Amino acid sequence: MILKLELRFVLLLSVVSLCSCNDGMQNCLDKHKVVGVLRQMEKFLKGQEIRFTEGLRIMKSKLASLQNSVSKFPQADQSPPPSTCPTPEVPANGRKFGSKYLVGHEVHFTCSEGYHLVGPATRVCQENGTWSGVNAVCKGASECASNPCLNGGTCVEGINQYKCTCPHNWSGTHCQHQTQTAPPEWSVMNDPAFSRKPRCAKVDHAQHCSCDAGFHMSGTSDNSICQDVNECEVYKTDRGGKLCIHACVNVPGSFHCSCPNGYKLLPDGRSCEDVDECLTQQHNCTSGTTCINTGGSFQCVSPQCPRSYGNVSYVKTSSFQCERNPCPMESRSCHLAPKTVSFHYLSLPSNLHTPATLFRMATAAAPGRPGPDSLRFGIVGGNTRGLFVMQRSDRQTGELILVQSLQGPQEVSVDVDMSEYVDRTFQAKHVAKVHILVSPYEF
């Protein structure tokens, strides 16, 4: 089609050329027909140009797509990781179990009778296409069977060799060299009762010695002796806590805890508990006195009422309380004197954590009678200044609080009072004499 149009175009040009030279010729084409043919040819050329441009665009698009696809292909040095591992080596005189060599699969190895496996019994196919671990081997006689490690050393089998793990103070390939000549601080060296001969035996012409529990080897391999380990010194600075709450006693091969007089050892073997001599009747208090238990001991007490003065006198109503006798109506000083005086004994350990509430005072109205509407508390005596404070804990109660730790052994006393008021008018006062017995121990 294109060839035919090109021929028509060439013939048309020839005719136009002839007509331009011989305008009078009758066989010349009509001018309008020539213009029509030229326009037809112009349209044809424009159509060919559009098709050619579109063809180029399509070819460029396909070429870009092809290049994009080729760029995604893996390079020669970026090949995907293998999904299998090579066939693992089976040890001589052994067997392999497991036939799948995919990533994550395992193979297992065992040895024939009379042989033992040295190396991993299981290997795993890893993502990089290799097996975990090293090649295992089946060995006949154990290299540790001859006990090559001396002086209590431990033999550890290797693939082609063995290794001796030596105890403290020994070194060398066979633990044959003593590395420490001076005895350790926790070793008991100067008492024959804390030394023993080691247990020795000859194995394959080599002498092996060991000590009982609680002892360690000392001396040379030819002249060794078992010395006691002083556990009390070994655990003296242990961060896990003291070995014994009070005292540690070292004995040959072991230790035990002890408690001071007046205390007993608890079933845990390390803690101490105070013995209540008053409760167990282990005291020597006479008639007319009362036994008071203290930390590690006891006291026999017989508190006395305040002496009479003026119109004020007291009568003992119990072992630890005195009450004022009725006052004359006209005696103001008698009404201001304490209505009751009570005695209290407290036993405390040394270095008690403060602040600590030691004693409480409270009031209660008699049946059918209104109680006080106001109370006041205070410290009115004793031999300790600045060690205690007295404060209200609620509307009807006051507390004696220890604000400084006490170190025993010592005995301190403090007198506290509670005053009752009704409509701001003083009614009565009560005094409590508190005696505190501080133990020399912290338990």
Side-chain angles (χ1 to χ4, degrees), residues 286-364:
T286 60
S287 177
T289 62
T290 303
C291 179
I292 298 296
N293 184 62
T294 63
S297 185
F298 65 93
Q299 281 193 9
C300 302
V301 300
S302 180
Q304 300 298 316
C305 296
R307 293 182 180 180
S308 300
Y309 61 95
N311 294 321
V312 181
S313 62
Y314 292 87
V315 60
K316 202 168 188 179
T317 56
S318 70
S319 299
F320 298 102
Q321 181 158 317
C322 299
E323 292 188 12
R324 188 188 67 202
N325 286 316
C327 293
M329 293 295 295
E330 69 279 2
S331 177
R332 176 174 174 79
S333 61
C334 182
H335 286 286
L336 294 176
K339 186 176 182 180
T340 63
V341 178
S342 57
F343 303 87
H344 307 268
Y345 296 86
L346 305 177
S347 178
L348 298 182
S350 287
N351 299 319
L352 179 67
H353 181 70
T354 57
T357 300
L358 304 182
F359 178 78
R360 288 184 174 89
M361 292 185 72
T363 184

Side-chain angles (χ1 to χ4, degrees), residues 162-175:
Y162 66 89
K163 181 180 180 181
C164 289
T165 302
C166 300
H168 186 60
N169 297 344
W170 295 95
S171 62
T173 307
H174 301 91
C175 304

Side-chain angles (χ1 to χ4, degrees), residues 151-182:
N151 301 306
T154 303
C155 184
V156 180
E157 285 277 2
I159 295 180
N160 294 314
Q161 61 182 354
Y162 66 89
K163 181 180 180 181
C164 289
T165 302
C166 300
H168 186 60
N169 297 344
W170 295 95
S171 62
T173 307
H174 301 91
C175 304
Q176 70 274 25
H177 301 303
Q178 190 172 15
T179 58
Q180 181 174 332
T181 56

Side-chain angles (χ1 to χ4, degrees), residues 117-259:
L117 187 70
V118 178
T122 300
R123 301 182 71 183
V124 182
C125 180
Q126 304 176 113
E127 292 184 356
N128 60 1
T130 62
W131 293 98
S132 63
V134 296
N135 292 334
V137 297
C138 292
K139 301 186 68 175
S142 170
E143 295 184 5
C144 288
S146 60
N147 295 317
C149 303
L150 306 176
N151 301 306
T154 303
C155 184
V156 180
E157 285 277 2
I159 295 180
N160 294 314
Q161 61 182 354
Y162 66 89
K163 181 180 180 181
C164 289
T165 302
C166 300
H168 186 60
N169 297 344
W170 295 95
S171 62
T173 307
H174 301 91
C175 304
Q176 70 274 25
H177 301 303
Q178 190 172 15
T179 58
Q180 181 174 332
T181 56
E185 295 181 358
W186 42 260
S187 177
V188 181
M189 304 291 292
N190 56 358
D191 191 339
F194 289 83
S195 299
R196 295 181 183 178
K197 291 184 177 181
R199 299 191 306 270
C200 299
K202 283 190 175 181
V203 180
D204 294 337
H205 307 290
Q207 181 168 283
H208 300 271
C209 299
S210 62
C211 296
D212 294 331
F215 291 83
H216 74 100
M217 191 78 70
S218 179
T220 64
S221 58
D222 298 328
N223 185 23
S224 58
I225 189 170
C226 293
Q227 299 290 346
D228 174 65
V229 174
N230 189 341
E231 294 85 359
C232 299
E233 289 295 326
V234 172
Y235 295 98
K236 194 171 185 179
T237 58
D238 185 38
R239 295 183 179 179
K242 296 172 63 176
L243 197 61
C244 298
I245 295 300
H246 178 61
C248 178
V249 180
N250 185 55
V251 296
S254 186
F255 74 97
H256 68 260
C257 298
S258 68
C259 297

Side-chain angles (χ1 to χ4, degrees), residues 22-200:
N22 304 299
D23 292 334
M25 295 180 65
Q26 295 180 354
N27 56 351
C28 285
L29 295 174
D30 183 75
K31 182 178 181 179
H32 293 287
K33 291 183 179 181
V34 172
V35 173
V37 172
L38 290 175
R39 288 179 179 175
Q40 184 179 1
M41 293 302 298
E42 184 180 5
K43 291 180 181 180
F44 168 74
L45 291 175
K46 286 184 178 181
Q48 292 298 318
E49 183 181 3
I50 292 173
R51 290 190 186 93
F52 181 75
T53 303
E54 180 66 17
L56 286 177
R57 187 188 65 78
I58 293 174
M59 289 183 66
K60 288 181 179 180
S61 176
K62 291 183 177 181
L63 181 60
S65 299
L66 183 60
Q67 289 177 341
N68 186 38
S69 300
V70 171
S71 65
K72 294 181 179 180
F73 290 167
Q75 301 294 329
D77 58 348
Q78 296 180 349
S79 57
S83 58
T84 61
C85 291
T87 302
E89 182 180 347
V90 181
N93 302 307
R95 297 179 61 189
K96 173 182 67 68
F97 297 92
S99 58
K100 292 185 178 181
Y101 307 148
L102 301 176
V103 172
H105 283 257
E106 298 178 352
V107 291
H108 308 273
F109 304 97
T110 60
C111 292
S112 303
E113 186 175 357
Y115 295 85
H116 67 280
L117 187 70
V118 178
T122 300
R123 301 182 71 183
V124 182
C125 180
Q126 304 176 113
E127 292 184 356
N128 60 1
T130 62
W131 293 98
S132 63
V134 296
N135 292 334
V137 297
C138 292
K139 301 186 68 175
S142 170
E143 295 184 5
C144 288
S146 60
N147 295 317
C149 303
L150 306 176
N151 301 306
T154 303
C155 184
V156 180
E157 285 277 2
I159 295 180
N160 294 314
Q161 61 182 354
Y162 66 89
K163 181 180 180 181
C164 289
T165 302
C166 300
H168 186 60
N169 297 344
W170 295 95
S171 62
T173 307
H174 301 91
C175 304
Q176 70 274 25
H177 301 303
Q178 190 172 15
T179 58
Q180 181 174 332
T181 56
E185 295 181 358
W186 42 260
S187 177
V188 181
M189 304 291 292
N190 56 358
D191 191 339
F194 289 83
S195 299
R196 295 181 183 178
K197 291 184 177 181
R199 299 191 306 270
C200 299

